[in-house]
Amino acid sequence: MTSTNQHLSLFHRPRRLRRTASLRRMVRETQLTVNDLIYPVFVMEGENQQEEIPSMPEIYRYSLDLLLKEIADAANLGINAVALFPLISTEKKDNAGTESYNTDGLVQHTIKAIKQEIPEITIITDVALDPFSTYGHDGIVKDGKILNDETVEVLVKQAISQAEAGADIVAPSDMMDGRVGAIRQGLDAAGYFDVGILAYSAKYASAYYGPFRDALESAPQFGDKQTYQMNPANSQEAIKEVALDIAEGADMVMVKPALAYLDIIRRIKEYTNLPVAAYNVSGEYAMVKAAARQGWIDEKKVVLETLTSMKRAGADLILTYFAKQVALMLR
Ligand code: PBG
């Protein structure tokens, strides 16, 4: 082993496999594909309307007609699934979120329309009360507390009404105890055996949700969500939540947010054989967009690096507002 450096006697040289682009492609371990992407979308009442969310540049709330175009676009780019979130007008909100299971509601209409117009796309619906709640909380409020068991009853009705409208997968994001099992039982009793459950299992009380709450006008009107969402300091507890959701019948589990929780994604991936989803949330999106707009980072490269890191950590699926942009880049 002769080296120009008399202090080195190298037998192993990892750089050999990084020397050329083709070698680097050959030893690449993680490949992000369009099949990994789920596109979260926002729907609102009205016709021919779209509103950009100020804290989420290039992401819009759409009236149903324009949303259908947006989803058709996504489908044409090869995206398999959308996660649907509604902006509910204030006068339809109440403490018990009753609008959430209105068979004539915005979500139910939207599901039916998507199924009719773009049947190939998988529809994932959000099960939680916050968009429908006067208080912006994920459950029924009494004396400043969030009621668990009473809320779960409403969530079951909400999930069944979404299934009835044609949802493929319901995704409880509320973090009430026992809701996955109750929803599974409710769906089965109503004959919706084939509707799956994507459980937001390890959902943290995160400051990264701010822009999303702007989009849905759903910020909590008092307090915060720490009595139901998890403490960002905890990791063991994520396994406890995942174990319960699996026992209760979840088909897939989720970690949310994603970027600050890559260690949790990895632990859960090692714990379960179920598909693991990660939610690249609104605040993560906003940070990248903000820095890119200042010219401080290379947006495309940062986006690909970030999503690839989530996949490397163990995510099988990634919910991301970058879905269309990434689908285009991956072409
Ligand atoms: C609420 C819900 C939230 C998000 C998805 N579902 C916000 C919250 O828990 O307050 C956040 C998604 C994002 O930030 O992109 N059930």
Side-chain angles (χ1 to χ4, degrees):
M1 245 104 11
T2 45
S3 159
T4 52
N5 182 337
Q6 53 165 344
H7 301 296
L8 282 176
S9 157
L10 286 182
F11 186 61
H12 288 293
R13 287 181 181 269
R15 287 185 55 191
R16 280 184 200 122
L17 297 184
R18 299 181 202 129
R19 192 171 52 85
T20 66
S22 55
L23 278 166
R24 289 193 292 274
R25 282 194 296 271
M26 287 163 71
V27 299
R28 183 185 180 109
E29 298 174 36
T30 308
Q31 187 72 53
L32 186 67
T33 84
V34 70
N35 290 324
D36 307 325
L37 306 174
I38 296 171
Y39 184 32
V41 293
F42 301 116
V43 65
M44 63 180 182
E45 305 277 357
E47 230 175 284
N48 196 25
Q49 280 187 48
Q50 63 178 76
E51 290 168 4
E52 192 174 29
I53 295 138
S55 50
M56 301 178 74
E58 290 153 59
I59 297 295
Y60 297 81
R61 306 187 273 237
Y62 296 99
S63 57
L64 179 52
D65 50 343
L66 298 188
L67 180 73
L68 291 173
K69 289 194 181 134
E70 179 67 9
I71 295 177
D73 244 27
N76 285 334
L77 286 167
I79 291 169
N80 292 308
V82 291
L84 181 64
F85 298 96
L87 170 72
I88 302 298
S89 47
T90 318
E91 72 273 10
K92 290 192 176 147
K93 297 186 183 185
D94 60 24
N95 184 23
T98 49
E99 179 64 17
S100 68
Y101 55 89
N102 177 358
T103 43
D104 250 346
L106 176 61
V107 169
Q108 290 76 2
H109 273 296
T110 304
I111 297 168
K112 283 181 204 154
I114 300 171
K115 268 292 151 212
Q116 196 164 5
E117 300 290 321
I118 315 146
E120 69 273 23
I121 204 112
T122 291
I123 305 176
I124 302 173
T125 49
D126 186 55
V127 182
L129 300 191
D130 49 317
F132 307 91
S133 155
T134 354
Y135 297 108
H137 274 289
D138 292 46
I140 300 172
V141 175
K142 193 178 175 198
D143 302 330
K145 296 204 170 103
I146 315 305
L147 302 179
N148 192 88
D149 303 13
E150 294 80 348
T151 297
V152 171
E153 264 185 59
V154 182
L155 296 174
V156 172
K157 290 186 198 167
Q158 183 182 15
I160 292 172
S161 89
Q162 293 169 349
E164 191 180 41
D168 298 289
I169 294 174
V170 297
S173 69
D174 55 285
M175 289 302 276
M176 295 301 118
D177 293 334
R179 90 282 205 211
V180 171
I183 290 171
R184 183 70 270 159
Q185 276 192 1
L187 289 174
D188 288 354
Y192 299 111
F193 309 100
D194 291 336
V195 172
I197 300 179
L198 164 58
Y200 285 66
S201 300
K203 176 168 177 179
Y204 287 87
S206 172
Y208 283 97
Y209 306 150
F212 174 96
R213 294 173 187 171
D214 293 342
L216 297 191
E217 297 171 1
S218 65
Q221 296 304 297
F222 68 88
D224 54 36
K225 299 192 174 186
Q226 291 189 76
T227 68
Y228 44 107
Q229 299 180 349
M230 282 178 50
N231 184 341
N234 293 357
S235 166
Q236 288 290 99
E237 195 186 356
I239 302 296
K240 175 168 95 179
E241 284 283 4
V242 165
L244 284 169
D245 287 353
I246 294 173
E248 290 176 29
D251 298 285
M252 303 193 251
V253 293
M254 197 195 300
V255 177
K256 176 184 175 191
L259 191 52
Y261 298 84
L262 295 179
D263 58 322
I264 308 297
I265 297 174
R266 164 54 47 183
R267 280 197 75 179
I268 292 177
K269 181 64 184 171
E270 282 169 4
Y271 175 80
T272 177
N273 294 322
L274 297 190
V276 176
Y279 201 141
N280 175 220
V281 299
S282 58
E284 298 170 43
Y285 177 86
M287 290 195 303
V288 172
K289 283 287 175 189
R293 291 196 161 198
Q294 297 281 342
W296 292 342
I297 58 171
D298 180 328
E299 177 171 337
K300 283 187 180 176
K301 286 186 176 165
V302 167
V303 169
L304 287 180
E305 182 177 335
T306 305
L307 298 192
T308 300
S309 76
M310 291 166 192
K311 196 147 183 221
R312 189 196 64 232
D316 300 291
L317 295 164
I318 303 171
L319 288 89
T320 179
Y321 303 99
F322 290 113
K324 278 179 64 188
Q325 198 178 325
V326 171
L328 258 176
M329 285 190 251
L330 292 176
R331 282 214 146 168

